[in-house]
Amino acid sequence: MDADACGNSDQDFDNFFNAYIYRPELRSQYTSPNIEIRQFSDKNKKIGVETKEQNKPFKIGLIDYRWSYVTPNEKAEKFDKIEIKIHRVDETMQVDFIRGHYTNDDTLTETYGAKGAYVFERKNNCWQLTQELR
């Protein structure tokens, strides 16, 4: 991972997240061995814990430069488009996502389905996936 991507600024996290998406071979290195599964509507409610091997696939992908919801056993052209929002929550960075309908010029017209999120914390001088919100 590029040293710039491991910095603590919002721009550094954007660089990190793009590398995390574009280079799946790096994900294991920047994913906690155990990922807490928490409720999206109440982050204090812990649903359980999954190992990084169990917590697959990573649900956010880029297909033809569009954010997409990755579903196992589906072909990439069938993946739903998603809206993502990256924001800081205390000392973490949270990536919220929800499926959306888009016009041909990529304007979001509506969202649908359950919201989800991934939470990244600073550990070992870089970002690491530590929670998934469902």
Side-chain angles (χ1 to χ4, degrees), residues 64-67 81 101-109:
D64 295 330
Y65 303 101
R66 293 183 177 111
W67 294 111
K81 293 179 186 173
H101 290 125
Y102 288 81
T103 62
N104 289 338
D105 67 351
D106 288 329
T107 301
L108 178 67
T109 58

Side-chain angles (χ1 to χ4, degrees), residues 74-89:
E74 285 286 334
K75 294 184 179 181
E77 62 269 7
K78 294 192 179 222
F79 291 164
D80 293 335
K81 293 179 186 173
I82 59 173
E83 175 188 40
I84 70 164
K85 291 183 181 172
I86 299 173
H87 56 101
R88 187 174 291 274
V89 178

Side-chain angles (χ1 to χ4, degrees), residues 27-28 30-35 50-52 123 128-130:
R27 287 186 197 155
S28 179
Y30 298 97
T31 301
S32 177
N34 294 300
I35 299 162
E50 293 180 353
T51 65
K52 65 179 161 186
K123 293 188 174 199
Q128 190 172 75
L129 174 63
T130 58

Side-chain angles (χ1 to χ4, degrees), residues 41-83:
S41 60
D42 181 358
K43 289 191 265 186
N44 293 320
K45 278 196 175 172
K46 189 173 176 180
I47 298 169
V49 175
E50 293 180 353
T51 65
K52 65 179 161 186
E53 290 78 20
Q54 292 171 315
N55 190 262
K56 290 184 180 178
F58 190 73
K59 295 176 178 77
I60 301 172
L62 272 171
I63 308 298
D64 295 330
Y65 303 101
R66 293 183 177 111
W67 294 111
S68 300
Y69 187 89
V70 176
T71 309
N73 305 320
E74 285 286 334
K75 294 184 179 181
E77 62 269 7
K78 294 192 179 222
F79 291 164
D80 293 335
K81 293 179 186 173
I82 59 173
E83 175 188 40

